[in-house]
Amino acid sequence: PPRSTLFPYTTLFRSATSDYNRLHTLFLKNGVSEQANEQSEKEMQRDQLRVQIDNMQLTIAKDALRKTKIYAAFDGLIMDNELQMGQVITGADSVSDGTLLMHLADMTNLEVYAEVNELEVGKISVGMPATMTVDALADRAYQGIIYYIAPNQVVSHDGGMAYIAKISLKNSEGLRLGLSTQVTIISHSAKVLSVPIAYVFSKEGQFFCYRKASEIATVSEYPVSLGIRDASFVEVKNLQESDIILDAN
């Protein structure tokens, strides 16, 4: 039993013992009736029995505690522990998850949750390689593989809509949980050209750039085919590296 249960029983027993000794002394001097003396003795014996039973249960509980070991499913780092001394711990059953002891993180197998723009999610697939960098460790790059792409959208950190791609890292040395990351997903290895999105226009469903083939050439609307994009740049597949592109001005 918890000590909060044992303590009042012990106090009651002491009080009952004191009352009995006082009444028994009066009884011997004919100060109280035999009935009152016997009732006081019964109350003392009742509280004494309660204390004995609770002491036995406490001894059993202490022995069980010494034999109790809690094993985690894997080695890891304890992230938080909100248990208090004396708190009652319950196990999981069909109607309850039990008491949460702590959160344990496996620091050897970290994952990255990357937000993928809805315009780009169709261009990535499970198994593609990815490279991750973090501002806190600017001199390092971490390699990983996409192992899951969520089927539903979520609200991204900037308020737009995105899909979550989960990336397993091959090496997580120096990383900490919760770090903000920049992820590059490599969809193919061919060399491509990209231009600022602001330099790509559309007319009647056709994308084009304002292009000059050389410094002395005239500006013309040049149709382009677009590839993958991010928030700032888009891949163009039929421009030459020597082409000059201009904005609308």
Side-chain angles (χ1 to χ4, degrees):
R3 291 187 179 275
S4 58
T5 301
L6 182 60
F7 177 75
Y9 286 162
T10 302
T11 302
L12 288 173
F13 171 61
R14 290 174 179 170
S15 177
T17 301
S18 177
D19 289 343
Y20 170 72
N21 290 334
R22 179 175 56 81
L23 289 175
H24 186 65
T25 299
L26 292 174
F27 169 70
L28 294 177
K29 298 178 179 180
N30 297 319
V32 296
S33 66
E34 182 177 358
Q35 182 180 1
N37 180 66
E38 291 177 351
Q39 180 64 29
S40 178
E41 183 177 10
K42 288 179 181 179
E43 291 178 358
M44 178 187 69
Q45 292 172 346
R46 178 199 61 195
D47 291 337
Q48 182 181 25
L49 181 60
R50 284 178 173 176
V51 172
Q52 290 173 346
I53 292 173
D54 278 357
N55 271 315
M56 290 174 58
Q57 292 178 343
L58 181 60
T59 300
I60 294 172
K62 285 182 176 180
D63 183 62
L65 180 61
R66 283 193 294 268
K67 298 176 181 178
T68 298
K69 292 184 178 180
I70 300 173
Y71 294 94
F74 52 85
D75 293 338
L77 179 66
I78 296 176
M79 304 307 297
D80 58 59
N81 179 3
E82 298 182 357
L83 294 177
Q84 303 295 325
M85 183 69 70
Q87 181 176 340
V88 177
I89 305 299
T90 60
D93 54 32
S94 59
V95 296
S96 173
D97 293 333
T99 303
L100 177 64
L101 301 181
M102 63 194 69
H103 287 98
L104 189 68
D106 182 359
M107 302 299 290
T108 62
N109 295 293
L110 294 185
E111 300 176 350
V112 177
Y113 287 14
E115 296 177 351
V116 182
N117 186 285
E118 58 184 339
L119 299 177
E120 309 300 330
V121 70
K123 301 171 185 177
I124 65 174
S125 59
V126 171
M128 281 185 174
T131 300
M132 186 200 77
T133 58
V134 295
D135 292 339
L137 301 167
D139 59 335
R140 297 187 187 183
Y142 297 87
Q143 306 302 317
I145 298 292
I146 298 175
Y147 76 90
Y148 173 81
I149 301 172
N152 58 304
Q153 289 181 319
V154 297
V155 178
S156 65
H157 70 282
D158 59 2
M161 301 305 296
Y163 290 83
I164 298 298
K166 297 182 180 180
I167 302 167
S168 61
L169 297 179
K170 297 179 180 179
N171 173 34
S172 57
E173 182 181 358
L175 293 178
R176 295 178 178 272
L177 299 185
L179 287 175
S180 298
T181 65
Q182 295 290 332
V183 176
T184 301
I185 298 173
I186 305 171
S187 59
H188 53 77
S189 58
K191 291 184 178 181
V192 297
L193 290 176
S194 64
V195 299
I197 291 178
Y199 284 65
V200 178
F201 308 91
S202 64
K203 180 189 296 183
E204 298 178 353
Q206 173 65 52
F207 293 103
F208 67 92
C209 291
Y210 290 110
R211 167 183 174 265
K212 290 176 63 174
S214 65
E215 290 288 350
I216 61 174
T218 58
V219 178
S220 63
E221 295 181 1
Y222 188 78
V224 293
S225 297
L226 304 183
I228 62 175
R229 73 190 71 185
D230 59 20
S232 303
F233 289 86
V234 60
E235 175 188 341
V236 288
K237 299 182 179 180
N238 51 335
L239 281 177
Q240 302 299 317
E241 191 171 358
S242 59
D243 289 341
I244 301 172
I245 60 170
L246 307 171
D247 60 20
N249 299 321

